[in-house]
Amino acid sequence: MAAINPNSSTFNPVLFGSLLVFFFFLPATQAQPNSQLSPGQILADGNTLVSPGGIFELGFFSPGKSTHRYVGIWYYNFSTSTVLWVANPVSPVLDTSGSLAIAGDGNLVVLDGRKAVLWSSKLGSLPSNESTAELLDTGNFMLNNSGDTVWQSFDHPSDTYLPGMKVGLDLVTNVNQVFTSWRSDDDPAPGNFTMGVAPDQSTQIFIWEQGKPRWRSGRWNGQVFLGIQNMVPTYIYGFKLNNFEQDKKMYFYYSQFNSSHRYVLMPDGIERHLIWANNTKNWFQFWAQPVPQCEFYNRCGTNATCTDSADGNSPTCSCLKGFERVNGNSTGGCVRRTPLQCERSRGNTTAGGGGEQDGFYLMQGVKLPDLSYWFYGPSDESQCEEACLTNCSCKAYSYATGIGCLIWGRELVDIHMFSSGGSDFYLRLAGSEFDNSKKGIKGYVIVIIVLSALVLFVGAIFLLWKNRSRIEELYRKLMKRQESLVDRSRSGGDESRGGISTVIDMHEEGKDGPPDVPLFTFQAIEDATASFSPSNLLGEGGFGPVYKGTLPGGQDIAVKRLSRNSGQGMEEFKNEVILIAKLQHRNLVRLLGYCIRRDDKMLVYEYMANRSLDGFIFADTSRRLLLDWKMRFSIIEGIARGLLYLHRDSRLRIIHRDLKASNILLDESMNPKISDFGMARIFGSDGNETSTKRVVGTYGYMSPEYAMQGLFSVKSDVYSFGVLLIEIVSGKRNSTYYNSELSLNLLGSAWKLWNEDNVMEVVDSSMRNSCSIREVSRCINVGLLCIQDRANDRPTMSSVITMLESENYVHPTPRQPTFPADISTSGTNSSTSDAKFVSGNASITMLSGR
Ligand SMILES: *[C@@H]1O[C@H](CO)[C@@H](O)[C@H](O)[C@H]1NC(C)=O
Ligand SMILES: *[C@@H]1O[C@H](CO)[C@@H](O)[C@H](O)[C@H]1NC(C)=O
Ligand SMILES: *[C@@H]1O[C@H](CO)[C@@H](O)[C@H](O)[C@H]1NC(C)=O
Ligand SMILES: *[C@@H]1O[C@H](CO)[C@@H](O)[C@H](O)[C@H]1NC(C)=O
Ligand SMILES: *[C@@H]1O[C@H](CO)[C@@H](O)[C@H](O)[C@H]1NC(C)=O
Ligand SMILES: *[C@@H]1O[C@H](CO)[C@@H](O)[C@H](O)[C@H]1NC(C)=O
Ligand SMILES: *[C@@H]1O[C@H](CO)[C@@H](O)[C@H](O)[C@H]1NC(C)=O
Ligand SMILES: *[C@@H]1O[C@H](CO)[C@@H](O)[C@H](O)[C@H]1NC(C)=O
Ligand SMILES: *[C@@H]1O[C@H](CO)[C@@H](O)[C@H](O)[C@H]1NC(C)=O
Ligand SMILES: *[C@@H]1O[C@H](CO)[C@@H](O)[C@H](O)[C@H]1NC(C)=O
């Protein structure tokens, strides 16, 4: 407006009044957002309450695409995309004229534009008609009346779990509170899914779909839920079960509040733990259930087990041992093949037992079935077995740590076979079920072995004789092809990549299209490494020597010449290499190609300018000073990420089995890259096995169960990672360091010093000035958790990363590690006597007697 029109400058009392109100009230409300609603006060749509610490906000919102208005609570910082409680999910205000108020009778009410009550806290007659409501920094909205809290939002949960909530089963009234999913992202009305504790007091958490079980957590053992795979006590925040006998209410809670975390039962029926990623500005899913398929309640039916496929989407169902499909009907249930002895003799006075005694069949790695019965009394496994055997209705038992004797007297439902972790489960079967298998072994195995060996031998001779000419021809063809490739690279056909060609298909050339992993000709490798000249030798690992090379185009490479005893054929080797070459991650050394010449197999990697980590952390020179705390921490993080990729995110799910400082290479910007992964596969043991004849590893890094029993899992890698972490922080080698003052090895003394708050004593003296004691202490704490003696007590790599990266976790205290670093000095067991030592700190390969 350019000028004031004098004609219109008449005094307008209404305008003046509203301006006055505006100027009078605005500064006051801006200075301090209100967290309280007092008697008679009205919170209109558009205004909000904010908790005193600025964490939560309460007001009207419209979810998703909806235009309806609901009263809800959300994270102040994340706005209405994070609504975690809704007052009036089924009775929204249809426009923006609604309000929240304390009514004349002291109740909290949501009103529409015409002041009709849409929702109320419905408390009946209150001591006084003057109530106050307040939004707290816990996210709880509380209504006080005459000095007492008469109503709170925590007692009426929506879909989100917050610390401080006591949602559970009231043991007096038997009322079970549950979380309820929204109907959809646009509609907070109750959906089909609810979540809460099991009403039978079995200390499990359930998700129900329209009242039918959809997922269960398995029993709580005091530290973890037994039915959640790989849940370790260090699992985020640590849930706890309250003292329900004292409280007369059973609920789980967690205490550590963090506004960057949410536990939400989503409209699709999946409970998700979401964490805010500050760098990418979104909520990422840290954990979700039920995922995979076998986690869906009783996915495979009663008396059957469910085993997940690699992608988790196509599970395999099988009958329990000793059970069979009804009349061979593959969709019907499974029933017992041979009745139990006690069943047969029941009510038969003449029989006197009849037949052999029932026995127990051990199943390992099981998500224990539902409907177990906690049998108070037995104090060890054999008493538990006895208790089961003497009760004819007992179908199975398990002796679980932290719980005791569990027996199953009803149906066996919801059995998931975990790929790692899980419990031992003893299934009761008729005695004859065992005899059959024993007789089978005794009677037939030898005959079968002899026969099949004979058949194989004759067959092989026959084939060789028949195909002799064909094999020779193939071989000649291969050699010729290799020569021609050398020629092509020499004549500059492919200058930049010198000597690289596509893989030769050993059978029919070019039929499946060219795979994308380059095969180097032997000639090209020889040229690049100056015929494997000793001056190009970078080092010697457990799998063979590594040479530096330079391709004609100028690119540096590292060539690993595999020792000959890999026991793999050419074809197998090629397949493994192609698989491994597909693993790509910034913290893994990239495989560029491979080379085969007769027995000679070589892997070609990118060359890492700064070589291996042990050349820095264990060095006496200035190289050690180069690594300040910041750099060491980022190296630790990088290794953890690379390992997580191998364990969880890559298609192959690889267990490294020989993680150590000399297998961590550093590029020119000191980024760590894991090398030698996939070796276990190349050397002929399937990554899915849980035990192996061939123990590959390095003393000082091997987990107890691996070194002594040959058992390995991702948790063995976690152990090695823990050792490596402590080596990086301390600058000392686990295999050689001994603290004579404390009479302890590196791990033992790290634990002791850390436990006594002497953290800086653990830290490498060259970087004591550059590090923050908090960070380094947290780091050592994580390292110590990784080297726990029992694999189950160690965290997974994903928890390791979360713990490393978050500042305010209260980590559980690790127990003292007891496993000696150098098992070769502490009593030789039979399996180490035939070990083959390569050198002091090199990998060993040994055959253990399993
Ligand atoms: C909200 O965000 C601000 C700025 O990003 C931050 O300083 C504050 O700590 C956050 N508050 C909470 C409770 O996370
Ligand atoms: C409470 O009740 C008294 C007496 O009935 C009444 O005078 C007063 O206005 C009421 N207060 C409110 C906030 O409604
Ligand atoms: C409401 O009552 C609780 C105790 O019952 C008290 O801690 C809280 O401060 C009260 N709030 C208000 C706003 O009076
Ligand atoms: C709830 O289940 C019923 C019956 O299975 C189905 O018709 C309905 O679409 C489901 N509702 C939601 C929100 O998924
Ligand atoms: C998150 O990022 C913002 C800016 O992007 C920053 O101000 C804040 O401190 C970060 N918060 C945390 C917890 O790192
Ligand atoms: C197999 O069992 C299912 C479920 O019990 C039943 O519906 C079906 O008719 C059976 N099929 C045959 C061929 O018996
Ligand atoms: C499971 O096996 C038991 C024992 O044979 C049998 O009584 C029961 O009917 C079976 N359940 C189902 C659902 O087939
Ligand atoms: C009782 O046991 C005897 C001997 O084992 C057997 O012959 C008979 O059939 C059984 N009777 C019943 C009712 O199971
Ligand atoms: C046998 O087991 C069932 C449950 O499996 C239990 O209810 C019953 O009390 C047990 N009987 C005895 C004598 O222990
Ligand atoms: C909350 O969690 C985030 C992400 O995990 C982490 O960065 C932050 O440090 C945590 N804050 C507190 C107070 O624990």
Side-chain angles (χ1 to χ4, degrees), residues 507-533:
H507 296 305
E508 276 127 326
E509 292 182 29
K511 225 184 169 185
D512 316 325
D516 45 5
V517 187
L519 172 75
F520 287 73
T521 63
F522 186 71
Q523 190 63 48
I525 301 288
E526 240 182 353
D527 290 352
T529 57
S531 302
F532 303 101
S533 133

Side-chain angles (χ1 to χ4, degrees), residues 37-41 102-108 123 126-133 142-146 148 150:
L37 201 60
S38 350
Q41 211 184 352
I102 291 176
D105 64 355
N107 269 306
L108 207 52
L123 291 170
L126 287 166
S128 104
N129 61 358
E130 305 246 323
S131 301
T132 326
M142 225 178 210
L143 187 71
N144 281 10
N145 190 296
S146 308
D148 282 329
V150 289

Side-chain angles (χ1 to χ4, degrees), residues 53-107:
I55 301 174
F56 293 98
E57 188 170 21
L58 178 146
F60 282 86
F61 74 100
S62 296
K65 297 193 268 303
S66 167
T67 53
H68 294 175
R69 304 294 288 170
Y70 300 86
V71 173
I73 298 176
W74 54 85
Y75 281 119
Y76 181 72
N77 267 6
F78 301 111
S79 181
T80 55
S81 62
T82 58
V83 171
L84 32 92
W85 181 78
V86 181
N88 53 332
V90 287
S91 42
V93 187
L94 300 181
D95 53 26
T96 56
S97 64
S99 55
L100 175 75
I102 291 176
D105 64 355
N107 269 306

Side-chain angles (χ1 to χ4, degrees), residues 112-360:
D112 67 8
R114 283 169 296 149
K115 301 284 176 260
V117 175
L118 293 176
W119 173 86
S120 152
S121 54
K122 288 204 197 89
L123 291 170
S125 61
L126 287 166
S128 104
N129 61 358
E130 305 246 323
S131 301
T132 326
E134 180 176 20
L135 179 62
L136 307 181
D137 273 336
T138 55
N140 195 2
F141 189 43
M142 225 178 210
L143 187 71
N144 281 10
N145 190 296
S146 308
D148 282 329
T149 301
V150 289
W151 179 94
Q152 52 184 337
S153 62
F154 271 17
D155 288 339
H156 305 268
S158 292
D159 63 346
T160 302
Y161 201 168
L162 285 174
M165 281 188 172
K166 299 177 176 180
V167 178
L169 177 70
D170 189 314
L171 300 183
V172 179
T173 61
N174 234 13
V175 171
N176 198 9
Q177 288 168 314
V178 291
F179 294 94
T180 308
S181 68
W182 288 16
R183 192 167 290 169
S184 73
D185 289 335
D186 305 327
D187 185 0
N192 283 341
F193 305 99
T194 54
M195 184 177 87
V197 302
D200 65 357
Q201 302 186 23
S202 59
T203 68
Q204 308 186 84
I205 288 181
F206 270 85
I207 295 174
W208 293 277
E209 179 170 8
Q210 295 182 320
K212 287 205 222 57
R214 173 178 163 89
W215 177 78
R216 72 189 170 94
S217 65
R219 276 180 186 260
W220 179 252
N221 80 348
Q223 288 192 301
V224 297
F225 292 104
L226 289 179
I228 298 184
Q229 189 167 7
N230 293 329
M231 184 173 183
V232 288
T234 57
Y235 187 78
I236 217 104
Y237 294 149
F239 273 83
K240 291 193 177 67
L241 178 65
N242 72 320
N243 182 343
F244 54 91
E245 271 149 7
Q246 182 190 317
D247 297 349
K248 302 274 176 260
K249 182 170 182 179
M250 180 184 273
Y251 57 88
F252 288 94
Y253 65 98
Y254 68 102
S255 45
Q256 184 92 11
F257 178 76
N258 187 329
S259 63
S260 304
H261 290 239
R262 292 193 289 152
Y263 293 87
V264 192
L265 180 61
M266 301 278 207
D268 58 2
I270 292 183
E271 167 75 9
R272 291 187 172 84
H273 177 180
L274 303 170
I275 301 180
W276 177 255
N278 204 20
N279 47 357
T280 56
K281 298 275 172 278
N282 67 349
W283 293 92
F284 78 90
Q285 175 179 314
F286 182 74
W287 182 85
Q289 284 298 353
V291 170
Q293 278 288 316
C294 283
E295 279 300 302
F296 284 85
Y297 191 82
N298 211 16
R299 175 68 174 72
C300 283
T302 306
N303 300 333
T305 62
C306 186
T307 310
D308 279 307
S309 57
D311 66 357
N313 293 331
S314 29
T316 310
C317 297
S318 340
C319 289
L320 286 168
K321 184 182 163 64
F323 285 67
E324 59 192 4
R325 295 275 172 210
V326 190
N327 303 326
N329 182 344
S330 66
T331 51
C334 299
V335 294
R336 202 179 279 286
R337 197 158 45 199
T338 319
L340 296 175
Q341 182 231 14
C342 71
E343 287 172 349
R344 275 177 277 141
S345 57
R346 185 185 286 167
N348 188 341
T349 42
T350 59
E356 289 157 285
Q357 243 213 330
D358 297 333
F360 288 98

Side-chain angles (χ1 to χ4, degrees), residues 359-567:
F360 288 98
Y361 173 70
L362 169 62
M363 293 164 67
Q364 287 177 310
V366 178
K367 174 174 184 171
L368 295 175
D370 196 11
L371 309 178
S372 59
Y373 166 82
W374 181 53
F375 194 71
Y376 179 79
S379 59
D380 62 26
E381 194 159 315
S382 63
Q383 287 181 17
C384 187
E385 175 175 336
E386 187 63 28
C388 186
L389 210 51
T390 51
N391 185 339
C392 193
S393 62
C394 178
K395 296 183 163 70
Y397 78 92
S398 174
Y399 195 81
T401 35
I403 298 178
C405 185
L406 294 173
I407 64 179
W408 281 262
R410 288 175 277 167
E411 296 275 40
L412 300 171
V413 295
D414 191 27
I415 311 171
H416 179 181
M417 304 303 289
F418 286 155
S419 54
S420 66
S423 312
D424 285 354
F425 178 67
Y426 292 88
L427 177 68
R428 184 181 200 158
L429 291 176
S432 58
E433 293 286 349
F434 296 94
D435 274 345
N436 278 347
S437 56
K438 270 190 219 144
K439 269 181 205 146
I441 287 169
K442 276 186 195 147
Y444 301 114
V445 161
I446 294 170
V447 177
I448 288 173
I449 287 175
V450 169
L451 267 180
S452 52
L454 247 170
V455 167
L456 274 178
F457 185 68
V458 171
I461 289 192
F462 177 72
L463 278 176
L464 269 179
W465 173 76
K466 203 173 160 221
N467 278 354
R468 193 179 41 190
S469 54
R470 187 167 143 70
I471 289 173
E472 274 170 8
E473 187 195 322
L474 249 173
Y475 185 71
R476 267 200 308 278
K477 226 157 106 189
L478 173 68
M479 294 315 290
K480 229 169 83 193
R481 175 75 185 265
Q482 287 215 351
E483 277 157 23
S484 75
L485 286 168
V486 174
D487 290 341
R488 215 168 60 195
S489 73
R490 278 200 183 134
S491 64
D494 187 359
E495 290 245 354
S496 61
R497 309 189 73 194
I500 305 176
S501 75
T502 50
V503 175
I504 300 170
D505 189 301
M506 292 290 293
H507 296 305
E508 276 127 326
E509 292 182 29
K511 225 184 169 185
D512 316 325
D516 45 5
V517 187
L519 172 75
F520 287 73
T521 63
F522 186 71
Q523 190 63 48
I525 301 288
E526 240 182 353
D527 290 352
T529 57
S531 302
F532 303 101
S533 133
S535 64
N536 276 339
L537 187 67
L538 290 172
E540 178 121 17
F543 304 103
V546 184
Y547 296 89
K548 182 181 176 188
T550 309
L551 294 177
Q555 187 185 2
D556 285 335
I557 55 171
V559 178
K560 181 179 275 273
R561 200 171 187 178
L562 297 180
S563 47
R564 303 198 172 204
N565 55 358
S566 79

